[in-house]
Structure formats: structure tokens, C-alpha cells
Amino acid sequence: MDSIVEHWITVTIMSIMTVYALFGDDIRSLVPDKDSDVTFYIITTVALALFALELILSSLAKPGYFLNFFFWLDFISTVSLIFDIGWISEAIFGTGGGADSAAGAAQLARAGRASRVGTRAGRIVRIIRLVRLIRIVKLYKAAQTTMEHKEDKKAFLIDPYDEVNGSSGRGSKGRSGI
């Protein structure tokens, strides 16, 4: 199972998803078309599912990973994606309604108070993005480890005769001593 988590395709996909998790919601905010929000929410939901799957697989495959520092970093960054999904954040914060009635006005008043809380939450989001950025560093280290393992395998497979007999093994047919 560790070979799945550390495979170069998995590392590449998770690196792309990490970059998306860092900047996807900002890009969504810049796009003026509200209809495109659904696409961003779907991609964020897929990223959340992939990060959760990676968290589970890493916990099962890597000894010492479960409940260590990197586990908690991955867990916090994965959970933080929930608030980037509009459907879920609207349900949690109660936004998305209009102001055409008394109930709507009350909801706008709550939204005003929530915006002050949101300003404070924005600071927390910056910290969470930093945690996500640390995830990139972790994925980079995993990619380096994978490349080192590939190089070790190549070195072993290129000339295993060298280490055993002390010669290259090439052209040795004529050196039998006869």
C-alpha cells in the first residue's frame, strides 16, 4: 500500500491538488461568472476526497504516521477544504438568502456580524494555507524519496555482478584463464 501512496503518479496528482487547494478558491473569487462556482466546488470536493483517501492510506501504510505531526497537518488541511465548498459553507454559516422580508433582514444582520467574524477567520485561513503549503514541502520530499528509490533500483540492476565479483562482467568470456 505504501507503494501506491509513494508512486510518482500519486505524488504528481496530489501535488496538483495541493496547488489547487492553495489557490483554487482565490481563482474562483476572481472569476466574475457565478455559474463557474459549481465547477470549482466540484473540483474542491474531489480534492477533499483525494486528500481524505491519502490520509487514510498513509495511516495504514506508513508506520508511525498515524497521529504524528504530519498526520495532524494533513488532517487540518483536509478539513479546511470543507469551508471552500460553497454548498457546505452556506449551510454552516446560513448565507445564500435574500433581504426581501423581515426574516431576510434579520439574516442580513447576522451576516454583518458574521462578516466581522469572517475577518478574523480570514487570518486563520492564511495560517491554514500555510499548513497546506507545508504539505507541498512534504510531497516534494516524498517525490525525492521516490526518485532515490528508483535510482537505487537502477544502480542495483545495472551491474549486480560488479559488487559480487569485483569486475564489470562485460567481456569476461575470454578471461576464463584457459
Side-chain angles (χ1 to χ4, degrees):
M1 210 176 322
D2 190 39
S3 61
I4 294 171
V5 175
E6 298 295 330
H7 195 271
W8 70 270
I9 293 175
T10 306
V11 170
T12 303
I13 290 170
M14 296 313 292
S15 298
I16 292 168
M17 285 289 126
T18 300
V19 170
Y20 174 79
L22 283 169
F23 303 112
D25 198 50
D26 293 330
I27 294 169
R28 182 197 59 82
S29 298
L30 292 174
V31 175
D33 185 21
K34 284 295 199 187
D35 295 333
S36 65
D37 285 356
V38 173
T39 304
F40 282 98
Y41 296 157
I42 290 171
I43 295 170
T44 305
T45 304
V46 169
L48 175 70
L50 288 174
F51 287 139
L53 180 65
E54 182 193 31
L55 188 70
I56 292 167
L57 290 176
S58 293
S59 295
L60 294 173
K62 296 179 181 178
Y65 175 78
F66 185 66
L67 299 180
N68 78 3
F69 177 72
F70 287 111
F71 170 84
W72 289 111
L73 280 178
D74 289 345
F75 179 78
I76 290 169
S77 62
T78 300
V79 170
S80 73
L81 279 177
I82 291 173
F83 299 108
D84 288 350
I85 302 171
W87 308 305
I88 297 173
S89 63
E90 287 173 5
I92 291 172
F93 297 118
T95 59
D100 54 346
S101 65
Q107 187 173 5
L108 280 178
R110 283 193 305 269
R113 287 189 296 271
S115 71
R116 288 189 295 274
V117 172
T119 302
R120 292 183 194 129
R123 294 180 193 127
I124 294 171
V125 167
R126 288 187 205 121
I127 293 170
I128 290 172
R129 287 194 177 151
L130 178 64
V131 169
R132 290 179 187 170
L133 193 59
I134 292 171
R135 182 182 183 84
I136 288 180
V137 173
K138 188 184 85 160
L139 287 171
Y140 176 74
K141 286 174 62 178
Q144 276 188 326
T145 305
T146 302
M147 295 303 287
E148 288 173 4
H149 287 299
K150 281 185 179 179
E151 289 175 9
D152 289 346
K153 282 184 181 178
K154 284 182 183 177
F156 180 75
L157 294 176
I158 288 175
D159 229 281
Y161 186 78
D162 235 358
E163 292 186 24
V164 175
N165 295 324
S167 68
S168 68
R170 291 180 176 81
S172 61
K173 288 182 180 177
R175 289 188 284 170
S176 64
I178 301 177

